[in-house]
């Protein structure tokens, strides 16, 4: 609170000093060291006297001689003759003017009026005809007009009055003629002598002449041209003598007493005001020096700091403008306030002083200090500029034109509305602008408005459809209307809707597969683990025979191996999914590798009752692969064929070269119904034996698919009823 009070006191002193400085500049030269006779009103009155005394009294124009100087030019004659059009037009106008008047007079049987109107009409018609026949006739009319205007002009010049009570006694140097008014020997506040030493008074015959120079002419709408007036001017006459303003004019009861009193009151009041302003200026540099804590120590500093820099700049300019306008106005009116002190005037001046002087000054000081402090903080101004409305507008403007059609249409609309506002105002100025405005509305504004309304309506439809999509309602498609950017946007939203629907379907499927995965893993791990626990408990019985013990140990070994295989397959799949599996590529003979794989499972094939038919090339078929991983692929596919083929059927194993690819094909008749969804067979833990009674982890095809993909090959499964066919292709070297 203390800081705020000090700031407002400081601001009040600053305003007083500013008003004082500007008033000193304006009134100081007219007040300081000057008396009433040197004031502006007296100086203006004296100038008026010296300008008009010559034409009105000392050196007036002789009307008789002036008339002789009047001239009439051919252009004036022609202008007067054709002022109202050609001869036929003027005659027709006169006939038309009198026709109705004569008819009305006849209707009331007023023969006298009828005859008078006809006579008046005929005189005018004859005068018009003479205008076109005789230049002398027109010249005489023009000369008469000019003589009348000249007489009026000279009368106005001679009857001019003076605003000051001036006494004078002047003698023509050449003729000795004396002109006087009043007594020049009485005490005076102004006195000027004219003589050979100090200079003569030059008396001109036309107002506006001063010191032998033309300064101003005022001939009204006279028919006399400026050149005619100048030609009528008399030679300049020289006068000696005295001109005074009597002192009694400023004494009580005199005609200048009020002005004299006001001048002195205003002068001494301004002296006092300037003295107080000097004391205020001293205080501003001593006891009341400005401190930035008055600003930074207030609650308003943080609030003001949160505002955009654009608003701050505009506010600062507006504050400075208000302060400037107030100081300018107050510096002009302060002399009147001091000359004519009134309680009401002081009250209104005090309110204006506080509202438009003190408050803007305090606010401007606050704004300048705040800006200075922020400028000192590194990076603050840059951050303010980046966050400004102007930068945001420019960025938005650039973004608006990312799609030129939308940006251009919006820009045209803005220009159209702006011009419409100007046109609406302009149609009240001139009728033709109203017609132009109506045409622009019909052929420009209405079509644009129609397009804008349609686009706005379509945009609302898109927004409503988008809101429906956001709530999960993905069944309704947005209607595509036309080929506008909004139509393209609607098309993109429809594509997005389809993508979301597919994504949701895939997500649902993924959740289902995840549930099945957990269930299958739990089952496949629990089955061998349960057997191991069971037979371990049986082995703890010391009464069992050696034959049973050996049998139980054999079962434990098989179940342990199955559990080991399952866990190894899980680790394998995990490595492949995470991308941590590394390949050790080398040149491998695929023919030899397949022959070894078949030989490895020869006993299993013989016991399965299946008829394996192989088609393997005799020559080498080499590829750049990881031999161990590729062995796993061949092994998985052969094992799958042994496990899941219908007993007694044939299994076809083929290795062949196709172009620059090696193809490994296995075909067999399945013992289980697989359905039609081939992709599910690649899923982890997916087995043809849905009851999961057969050995295996269900990861064989998934592991094989990953290995083939890592080698840049392809793996494809085809189903035709119970016919199962898997084809693996890999580039050969």
């Amino acid at each position: 609170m203390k800081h705020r009070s000090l700031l407002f006191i400081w601001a009040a002193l600053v305003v007083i000093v500013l008003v004082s400085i500007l008033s000193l500049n304006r009134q100081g030269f007219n007040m300081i060291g000057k008396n009433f006779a040197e004031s502006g009103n007296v100086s203006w009155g004296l100038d008026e006297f010296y300008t008009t005394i010559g034409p009105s009294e000392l050196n007036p124009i002789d009307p008789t001689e002036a008339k002789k100087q009047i001239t009439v030019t051919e252009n004036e004659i022609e202008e007067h003759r054709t002022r109202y059009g050609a001869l036929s037009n003027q005659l027709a106008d006169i006939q038309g003017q009198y026709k109705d008047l004569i008819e009305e007079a006849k209707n009331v049987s007023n023969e006298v009026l009828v005859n008078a109107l006809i006579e008046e009409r005929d005189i005018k018609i004859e005068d018009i005809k003479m205008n076109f026949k005789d230049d002398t006739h027109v010249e005489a009319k023009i000369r008469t007009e000019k003589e009348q205007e000249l007489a009026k002009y000279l009368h106005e010049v001679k009857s001019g009055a003076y605003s000051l009570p001036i006494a004078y006694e002047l003698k023509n140097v050449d003729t000795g003629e004396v002109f006087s008014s009043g007594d020049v020997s009485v005490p005076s506040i102004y006195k000027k002598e004219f003589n050979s030493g100090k200079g003569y008074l030059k008396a001109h015959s036309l107002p506006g002449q001063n010191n032998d120079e033309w300064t101003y002419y005022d001939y009204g709408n006279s028919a006399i041209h400026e050149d005619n007036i100048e030609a009528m001017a008399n030679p300049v006459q020289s006068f000696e003598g005295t001109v005074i303003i009597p002192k009694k004019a400023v004494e009580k009861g005199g005609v200048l007493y009020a002005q004299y009193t006001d001048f002195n009151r205003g002068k001494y009041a301004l002296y006092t005001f300037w003295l107080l302003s000097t004391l205020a200026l001293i205080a501003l540099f001593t006891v009341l020096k400005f401190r930035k804590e008055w600003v930074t120590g207030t609650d308003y500093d943080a609030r003001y700091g949160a505002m955009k820099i654009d608003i701050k700049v505009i506010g600062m300019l507006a504050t400075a403008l208000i302060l400037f306008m107030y100081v300018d106005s107050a510096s002009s009116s302060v002399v009147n306030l001091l000359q004519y002190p009134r309680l009401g005037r002081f009250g209104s001046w005090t309110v204006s002083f506080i509202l438009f002087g003190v408050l803007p000054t305090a606010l401007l000081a606050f704004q300048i200090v705040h800006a200075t402090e922020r400028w000192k903080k590194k990076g603050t101004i840059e951050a303010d500029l980046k966050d400004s409305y102007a930068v945001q507008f420019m960025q938005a403007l650039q973004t608006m034109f990312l799609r030129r059609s939308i940006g251009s249409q919006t820009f045209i609309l803005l220009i159209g509305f702006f011009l419409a506002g100007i046109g609406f105002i302009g149609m009240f100025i001139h009728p033709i602008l109203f017609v132009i405005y109506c045409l622009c509305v019909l052929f420009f504004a209405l079509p644009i408005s129609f397009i804008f309304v349609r686009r706005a309506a379509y945009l609302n439809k898109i927004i409503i459809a988008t809101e429906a999509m956001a709530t999960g309602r993905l069944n309704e498609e947005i209607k595509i209307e036309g080929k506008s950017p909004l139509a393209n946007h609607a098309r993109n939203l429809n594509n997005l809707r389809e993508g979301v629907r597919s994504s949701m379907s895939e997500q649902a499927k993924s959740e289902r597969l995840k549930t099945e995965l957990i269930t299958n893993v739990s089952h496949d791990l629990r089955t061998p683990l349960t057997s191991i626990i069971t037979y371990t408990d049986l082995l703890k019985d010391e009464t069992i025979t050696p034959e049973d013990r050996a049998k139980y140990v054999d079962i434990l070994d098989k179940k342990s191996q199955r559990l080991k295989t399952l866990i190894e397959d899980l680790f394998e799949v995990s490595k492949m999914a995470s991308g941590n599996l590394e390949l050790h590529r080398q040149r491998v003979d695929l023919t030899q590798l397949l022959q070894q794989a078949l030989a490895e499972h020869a006993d299993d094939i013989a016991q399965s009752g299946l008829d394996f038919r192989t088609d393997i090339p005799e020559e080498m078929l080499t590829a750049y692969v990881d031999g161990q991983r590729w062995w796993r692929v061949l092994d998985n596919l052969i094992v799958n064929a042994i496990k899941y083929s219908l007993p007694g059927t044939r299994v076809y194993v083929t290795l062949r070269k196709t172009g620059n690819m090696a193809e490994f094909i296995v075909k067999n008749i399945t013992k289980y119904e697989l359905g039609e969804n081939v992709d599910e067979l690649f899923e982890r833990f997916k087995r043809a034996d849905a009851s999961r009674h057969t050995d295996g982890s269900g990861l064989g095809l998934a592991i094989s698919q990953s290995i083939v993909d890592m080698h840049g090959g392809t793996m494809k499964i085809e189903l035709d009823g119970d016919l199962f066919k898997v084809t693996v292709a890999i580039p050969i070297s």
Side-chain angles (χ1 to χ4, degrees):
M1 187 67 182
K2 179 182 178 182
H3 287 168
R4 192 186 308 169
S5 300
L6 291 174
L7 178 61
F8 278 106
I9 295 173
W10 176 88
L13 295 180
V14 169
V15 175
I16 292 173
V17 170
L18 291 176
V19 172
S20 174
I21 292 174
L22 197 55
S23 66
L24 180 63
N25 180 62
R26 286 179 170 174
Q27 283 99 22
F29 297 104
N30 296 327
M31 293 288 187
I32 298 176
K34 299 291 181 69
N35 54 39
F36 175 69
E38 299 171 303
S39 66
N41 288 338
V42 174
S43 298
W44 178 85
L46 288 171
D47 289 339
E48 177 194 38
F49 169 77
Y50 289 123
T51 302
T52 58
I53 186 67
S56 62
E57 296 187 45
L58 302 182
N59 192 15
I61 294 176
D62 184 4
T64 303
E65 294 297 325
K67 288 180 181 180
K68 296 178 182 179
Q69 302 296 329
I70 294 176
T71 60
V72 178
T73 65
E74 293 183 0
N75 289 336
E76 290 175 326
I77 293 173
E78 188 63 25
E79 189 277 332
H80 185 279
R81 175 180 291 152
T82 60
R83 183 177 301 169
Y84 301 105
L87 174 62
S88 58
N89 294 334
Q90 294 186 42
L91 294 176
D93 289 341
I94 294 297
Q95 292 283 2
Q97 291 174 16
Y98 283 89
K99 181 178 180 181
D100 293 338
L101 295 174
I102 294 172
E103 288 296 328
E104 290 177 4
K106 288 181 178 180
N107 291 336
V108 296
S109 301
N110 191 340
E111 292 297 330
V112 176
L113 180 59
V114 170
N115 294 330
L117 290 172
I118 292 173
E119 183 180 0
E120 183 179 334
R121 180 197 63 188
D122 294 341
I123 290 173
K124 288 186 178 181
I125 290 175
E126 189 62 29
D127 181 64
I128 292 172
K129 291 179 179 179
M130 286 298 296
N131 286 343
F132 283 86
K133 288 181 180 179
D134 187 4
D135 288 351
T136 306
H137 176 73
V138 179
E139 181 180 354
K141 291 169 64 177
I142 295 175
R143 186 176 298 278
T144 301
E145 290 179 5
K146 288 189 175 184
E147 288 177 353
Q148 293 173 352
E149 290 293 334
L150 176 62
K152 179 180 177 182
Y153 166 72
L154 295 177
H155 175 73
E156 291 176 354
V157 170
K158 196 169 184 64
S159 62
Y162 310 127
S163 58
L164 294 177
I166 297 177
Y168 60 87
E169 184 176 317
L170 298 169
K171 184 177 71 172
N172 191 313
V173 175
D174 297 325
T175 64
E177 186 178 2
V178 176
F179 299 84
S180 64
S181 175
D183 186 2
V184 296
S185 63
V186 299
S188 63
I189 61 168
Y190 169 83
K191 184 176 183 179
K192 188 170 183 179
E193 300 282 349
F194 296 94
N195 50 47
S196 59
K198 297 180 179 180
Y200 294 117
L201 171 63
K202 301 295 184 178
H204 299 269
S205 58
L206 292 175
Q209 287 180 299
N210 191 15
N211 298 326
D212 297 323
E213 294 182 2
W214 293 89
T215 58
Y216 179 74
Y217 305 95
D218 184 10
Y219 308 119
N221 55 359
S222 172
I224 310 172
H225 292 171
E226 181 178 309
D227 294 339
N228 295 143
I229 293 294
E230 293 178 8
M232 298 172 188
N234 298 330
V236 178
Q237 303 292 318
S238 299
F239 287 82
E240 61 180 2
T242 306
V243 176
I244 69 165
I245 298 177
K247 187 177 180 180
K248 66 179 181 178
V250 298
E251 294 176 350
K252 193 170 184 178
V255 294
L256 298 179
Y257 175 74
Q259 296 183 33
Y260 175 76
T261 305
D262 290 343
F263 174 81
N264 288 327
R265 184 190 298 119
K267 180 173 72 171
Y268 294 118
L270 280 176
Y271 284 172
T272 305
F273 178 67
W274 292 333
L275 178 60
L276 293 175
S277 301
T278 304
L279 297 177
L281 184 62
I282 294 171
L284 290 174
F285 284 96
T286 54
V287 296
L288 204 62
K289 293 178 67 176
F290 183 82
R291 293 177 178 84
K292 67 179 182 180
E293 292 79 10
W294 297 348
V295 173
T296 57
T298 62
D299 298 334
Y300 301 104
D301 189 38
R303 300 178 190 174
Y304 183 74
M307 296 173 63
K308 301 285 188 183
I309 193 171
D310 317 72
I311 304 300
K312 295 177 183 177
V313 171
I314 294 173
M316 185 180 295
L317 293 176
T319 304
L321 180 62
I322 292 172
L323 179 60
F324 172 78
M325 293 174 64
Y326 171 77
V327 171
D328 181 69
S329 174
S331 63
S332 300
S333 61
V334 67
V335 63
N336 294 328
L337 177 70
L338 298 174
Q339 279 180 331
Y340 310 105
R342 298 289 187 275
L343 183 60
R345 295 184 67 187
F346 268 111
S348 61
W349 188 88
T350 303
V351 172
S352 300
F353 175 74
I354 295 173
L355 292 180
F356 303 110
V358 177
L359 285 178
T361 303
L363 182 57
L364 187 61
F366 174 89
Q367 292 167 330
I368 293 173
V369 171
H370 179 86
T372 304
E373 292 300 310
R374 290 188 73 84
W375 182 272
K376 292 179 181 177
K377 296 178 182 178
K378 187 176 181 181
T380 304
I381 296 298
E382 290 79 0
D384 288 347
L385 291 174
K386 290 180 180 178
D387 191 46
S388 64
Y389 286 125
V391 173
Q392 292 177 9
F393 173 78
M394 295 304 298
Q395 292 173 346
L397 191 62
Q398 292 174 354
T399 306
M400 185 178 78
F401 284 95
L402 288 178
R403 295 295 299 269
R404 290 188 177 180
S405 57
I406 295 178
S408 301
Q409 291 172 10
T410 305
F411 186 74
I412 291 173
L413 280 174
L414 292 175
I415 294 297
F417 286 126
F418 176 75
L419 294 178
I422 296 177
F424 182 76
I425 297 173
M427 72 178 188
F428 294 102
I429 299 175
H430 198 279
I432 191 64
L433 296 178
F434 175 74
V435 176
I436 295 174
Y437 177 73
C438 292
L439 293 175
C440 291
V441 169
L442 288 175
F443 297 102
F444 181 75
L446 289 182
I448 288 182
S449 299
F450 174 74
I451 295 172
F452 176 76
V453 170
R454 285 195 60 188
R455 295 284 172 84
Y458 190 34
L459 178 61
N460 285 332
K461 292 180 182 179
I462 294 175
I463 292 173
I464 293 172
T466 305
E467 291 174 349
M469 290 174 57
T471 58
R473 300 196 299 273
L474 304 174
N475 297 325
E476 296 184 7
E477 188 178 65
I478 304 175
K479 185 178 179 182
I480 307 299
E481 298 180 3
K483 297 182 180 180
S484 66
L486 290 178
N488 293 333
H489 182 59
R491 188 176 294 106
N492 293 333
L493 286 175
N494 286 333
N495 295 336
L496 178 62
R497 180 182 63 87
E498 289 299 324
V500 171
R501 290 180 62 184
S502 300
S503 176
M504 292 178 65
S505 177
E506 290 294 328
Q507 185 177 2
K509 180 180 178 182
S510 176
E511 292 295 331
R512 178 178 58 80
L513 293 176
K514 186 184 298 182
T515 302
E516 292 181 2
L517 175 63
I518 295 173
T519 303
N520 293 336
V521 170
S522 301
H523 179 274
D524 289 345
L525 290 175
R526 189 184 301 112
T527 300
L529 186 59
T530 302
S531 298
I532 291 172
I533 294 172
T534 301
Y535 284 101
T536 300
D537 289 339
L538 291 173
L539 285 173
K540 293 179 182 178
D541 187 0
E542 297 179 355
T543 62
I544 62 175
T545 62
E547 292 80 5
D548 290 337
R549 186 179 297 278
K551 180 181 176 181
Y552 295 163
V553 170
D554 182 57
I555 292 172
L556 284 173
D557 180 60
K558 290 181 179 178
K559 298 299 181 181
S560 299
Q561 289 299 324
R562 182 180 177 186
L563 187 61
K564 176 184 176 185
T565 301
L566 181 59
I567 293 173
E568 286 178 348
D569 286 348
L570 283 172
F571 278 120
E572 194 85 3
V573 171
S574 177
K575 286 182 180 180
M576 291 178 182
S578 62
N580 293 329
L581 186 66
E582 295 183 3
L583 295 179
H584 301 284
R585 293 175 181 263
Q586 56 186 350
R587 190 180 300 276
V588 176
D589 183 1
L590 299 180
T591 302
Q592 183 181 3
L593 192 64
L594 177 58
Q595 289 173 346
Q596 292 176 358
L598 291 171
E600 182 76 20
H601 294 285
D603 294 339
D604 297 330
I605 293 173
Q607 295 175 6
S608 66
L610 299 172
D611 184 8
F612 267 73
R613 301 292 179 91
T614 61
D615 182 8
I616 303 174
E618 296 180 358
E619 68 276 6
M620 292 177 60
L621 190 58
T622 59
Y624 196 63
V625 298
D626 185 329
Q628 182 180 356
R629 303 297 177 189
W630 202 253
W631 166 271
R632 183 71 182 273
V633 174
L634 301 179
D635 183 71
N636 285 343
L637 296 178
I638 293 172
V639 169
N640 278 349
I642 296 172
K643 285 182 180 180
Y644 301 114
S645 295
L646 184 67
T649 59
R650 298 182 184 88
V651 178
Y652 294 90
V653 179
T654 303
L655 179 65
R656 66 189 181 189
K657 179 182 178 182
T658 304
N660 63 342
M661 304 291 287
E663 288 187 345
F664 173 62
I665 306 171
V666 178
K667 293 188 291 184
N668 64 288
I669 303 298
T670 65
K671 67 168 71 174
Y672 302 104
E673 187 176 352
L674 297 179
E676 297 181 357
N677 193 351
V678 177
D679 294 336
E680 288 186 356
L681 296 176
F682 288 110
E683 297 172 2
R684 299 168 189 174
F685 293 95
K686 192 71 176 179
R687 291 162 63 175
D689 177 16
S691 63
R692 312 187 73 83
H693 290 161
T694 58
D695 291 340
S697 62
L699 296 172
L701 287 179
I703 292 174
S704 299
Q705 174 74 66
S706 299
I707 293 174
V708 172
D709 290 342
M710 293 174 67
H711 281 85
T714 60
M715 184 173 179
K716 181 174 68 173
I717 294 178
E718 299 175 71
L719 283 176
D720 187 3
D722 291 334
L723 177 62
F724 177 86
K725 178 182 178 182
V726 58
T727 303
V728 177
I730 186 172
I732 59 177
S733 57

